[in-house]
Amino acid sequence: MRDLAYLKLLAREFPSVKMASSEIINLTAILGLPKGTEYFFSDLHGEYEAFVHLLRSASGIIREKINDTFGHIISEDEQMELANLIYYPERFLSKYTHQGKATDEWKKIIIYRLVQICRLVSSKYTRSKVRKKMPKEFAYIIDELLHVDYRDYNKDVYYSEIIHSMIEIDAADKFIVALCHLIQNLTIDSLHIIGDIFDRGPRADIIMKELMNFHDVDIQWGNHDISWMGAATGNPACICNVLRIAISYNSFDVLEDGYGINLRPLSMFAAHVYRDDPCEKFSPKILDENIYDAVDPGLAAKMHKAIAMIQFKVEGQIIKRHPEYKMEDRLLLEAVDYERGTVTLEGKTYALTDKAFPTVDPKNPLKLTKEEEELMHTLVVSFRHSELLHRHINFLYTHGSLYKCYNSNLLYHGCIPMKEDGSFEEMMFDGKAQYGKSLMDCIEKQIKKAYFLPDGDKEKDDASDFMWYLWCGAKSPVFGKDRMATFEHYFIADKSTHKENMNPYYRLSVEEKYCGQILEEFGLSREGSHIINGHVPVKIKDGEKPVKAGGKLYIIDGGLSKAYQSKTGIAGYTLIYNSNHLALAEHKPFMPNKENTPKVYITEKMANRIRVADTDLGKDIAERISDLKELVAAYRAGVIKELV
């Protein structure tokens, strides 16, 4: 029996038996509908053009809906034109208007076709849900057109006049745009981002804007997201890291045009300190040209080295502050012999490929110079005061988590840290060993403390340092390796030193036994449940498959980032989970104004069509129905009075 105080609160929303009963009927009917379609993306890495296209095209599903509806009526070229109109309605209409093709007759035909597609993608939802997604200015008209029976001669003129009037008052273009956005909105019911929105690609800020405008989205933080979140707390090591990666991939636009980070002090410092150093090992990878802030590659290389050296120093300071991290082997600036130009690593000495360290004091290599301290102060202020960055970081917190259990799926970016014997790896929190789910929960609390505790609080400072540990620490679930060999990549030619060993999770999780163990740890059944994972690109060109462990594990990082596509052979995956099946959309490398429709193939068919009643939402609705039934009973027993 529900608490009487709760039922009285519920009575404010449903003040009579009639209203409560009506809601019970409505919710019970919803339970019988097919579940909405879920889309899973991973490792977006700032590739905004490719991601926006996938989002607007529903990873090729809208193209399939067009073919299902009009494949026997209109040509392949017309189908492709209709698809492009739905994906980019404003751009397409502008082009057609300029070419003189957007005639009144064309608009009538297009509105008819869009209504047909809209009717198809809205068929699994209640009219109420569809109406809520409609733009208010056209809601009544769209609702009328969606539910017209074109065989009803009596209403034929009525509906023709609606379309004729819109064209006559010059509202047809806006109506077409509204229909296109509604189709996009209805095709993807909910969106899951399995980490790594940031870094490598040109504009993560544009991706964040798209996500913030989406109606239902959740995010499982990746290591690159955590690094940016740590930078937003003002942590110097995280700030250096996001700057180093952005500069190394020539991504100046996201920093300066996107988030308003002032890089002039860094460029001036680098140009002065490294003026005679070509910084060849630090030349940026130019995968994308900057539009707003073109930086000379030579200067970018100097900026890259300058921020990398500061990063090694401030990282070393964190390691010294936190012996519990057990990362003393990463104090490599202290392992350098600056006279001989060598570094000693695990008892072996290597020649350095770059011996110019003008800012390092060999007697105290982790100490920042006065100029470096001033530069870092300026950069910290810039990150702490970027309004848009903090708006985006707040969204990551409010819509994000380290993991998510939803509809019998376990979502996380990296791994659940494991030992070689298959047991869960432990970390100490407040004197107690935590592992598996409890470890993930404790880490998430630290992530929140780093951002939300007041400045000056030691607990906040420690949590902020821990954000850096999550970026590169051996037991970090979002990193999943034994070390980050950044220094070795820059300064040691022997590639054996560059190797970063993966956590045993990645070897064990491909077996059904261990997948089942992880699922049970998070309260999910071994049967019918899945782990959905990102972080490690699937090299399909080498014969790797994204579906592992007998169908229990999906690894959906296939290389949306251009930096990985030569290794993977594709451009990432979308996992699509509708009421009938699980399917993977295999992306093509994105080419503007080209055919980019992914190849979609079914990986698992459901034994029975999944209804809303079978989902987590269905469980919530069932509880709501139970509460309403108790309210009705309380009304009828006179315990609560109706407002008639």
Side-chain angles (χ1 to χ4, degrees), residues 586-605:
E586 194 176 281
H587 310 152
K588 299 176 183 178
F590 179 75
M591 300 287 288
N593 304 314
K594 300 289 184 183
E595 169 58 69
N596 293 289
T597 303
K599 172 189 172 185
V600 180
Y601 57 94
I602 294 171
T603 58
E604 182 180 332
K605 289 185 177 180

Side-chain angles (χ1 to χ4, degrees), residues 446-447 449-450 458-467:
Q446 293 299 112
I447 293 170
K449 286 178 181 179
K458 186 182 184 306
E459 206 173 352
K460 179 188 178 78
D461 294 339
D462 287 344
S464 180
D465 283 350
F466 188 67
M467 297 289 276

Side-chain angles (χ1 to χ4, degrees), residues 286-485:
I286 303 179
L287 301 175
D288 298 279
E289 296 292 340
N290 291 292
I291 297 170
Y292 300 99
D293 189 39
V295 176
D296 174 75
L299 177 58
K302 296 180 194 315
M303 294 169 70
H304 185 181
K305 184 173 182 179
I307 203 65
M309 293 309 302
I310 296 173
Q311 181 175 346
F312 295 136
K313 291 183 180 184
V314 294
E315 286 180 339
Q317 293 169 16
I318 290 178
I319 293 168
K320 296 265 190 176
R321 283 199 297 271
H322 296 279
E324 71 274 17
Y325 292 172
K326 297 180 180 179
M327 294 179 67
E328 290 77 10
D329 62 323
R330 294 286 85 202
L331 295 171
L332 295 183
L333 287 183
E334 293 187 343
V336 171
D337 184 323
Y338 292 92
E339 287 188 8
R340 296 183 179 181
T342 61
V343 62
T344 302
L345 198 67
E346 296 179 350
K348 189 173 180 181
T349 300
Y350 300 89
L352 295 170
T353 56
D354 183 339
K355 302 178 178 64
F357 299 103
T359 66
V360 177
D361 177 0
K363 295 178 182 178
N364 191 359
L366 301 183
K367 182 178 174 58
L368 296 177
T369 66
K370 182 181 177 182
E371 292 78 10
E372 285 175 326
E373 284 184 352
E374 291 173 353
L375 173 60
M376 280 312 303
H377 174 75
T378 301
L379 291 171
V380 168
V381 169
S382 195
F383 272 83
R384 293 296 301 273
H385 290 86
S386 170
E387 183 183 348
L388 182 62
L389 175 61
H390 284 276
R391 207 181 308 152
H392 288 177
I393 296 300
N394 265 296
F395 186 82
L396 284 178
Y397 273 101
T398 57
H399 289 73
S401 57
L402 207 51
Y403 70 91
K404 185 180 180 73
C405 296
Y406 191 72
N407 289 345
S408 298
N409 293 317
L410 174 59
L411 287 53
Y412 53 81
H413 176 72
C415 70
I416 307 301
M418 301 179 83
K419 300 176 184 177
E420 289 291 344
D421 64 2
S423 62
F424 292 116
E425 183 63 87
E426 300 172 344
M427 286 181 73
M428 300 298 293
F429 285 89
D430 298 324
K432 185 178 179 181
Q434 305 288 353
Y435 58 86
K437 181 179 182 298
S438 66
L439 173 61
M440 299 289 271
D441 290 337
C442 286
I443 289 174
E444 187 164 325
K445 287 179 184 176
Q446 293 299 112
I447 293 170
K448 291 174 181 176
K449 286 178 181 179
Y451 193 67
F452 291 110
L453 284 179
D455 290 344
D457 188 313
K458 186 182 184 306
E459 206 173 352
K460 179 188 178 78
D461 294 339
D462 287 344
S464 180
D465 283 350
F466 188 67
M467 297 289 276
W468 170 79
Y469 176 86
L470 291 174
W471 162 252
C472 60
K475 295 185 180 182
S476 165
V478 294
F479 177 49
K481 299 178 185 178
D482 64 341
R483 62 182 179 140
M484 181 78 78

Side-chain angles (χ1 to χ4, degrees), residues 14 127 200 214 258 286 374 478 528 533 563 565 641:
F14 303 98
R127 288 182 67 168
R200 296 198 181 96
F214 198 80
I286 303 179
E374 291 173 353
V478 294
N533 210 174
Q565 287 170 14
K641 293 181 180 180

Side-chain angles (χ1 to χ4, degrees), residues 102-112 167 172-173 176:
T103 63
D104 290 352
E105 188 59 31
W106 177 83
K107 290 176 184 179
K108 287 179 185 177
I109 294 169
I110 286 298
I111 290 171
Y112 168 78
I167 292 171
D173 285 12
I176 288 169

Side-chain angles (χ1 to χ4, degrees), residues 505-552:
Y505 164 89
Y506 292 98
R507 175 176 54 82
L508 298 170
S509 63
V510 299
E511 299 181 32
E512 285 190 56
K513 169 186 171 183
Y514 293 106
C515 267
Q517 176 184 321
I518 293 168
L519 288 165
E520 285 187 345
E521 171 68 14
F522 285 81
L524 297 175
S525 170
R526 285 176 180 257
E527 297 304 316
S529 299
H530 310 86
I531 294 170
I532 303 173
N533 210 174
H535 192 51
V536 180
V538 176
K539 298 175 184 175
I540 195 167
K541 72 181 183 67
D542 295 338
E544 288 188 26
K545 302 293 183 184
V547 187
K548 303 176 186 294
K552 292 190 183 305

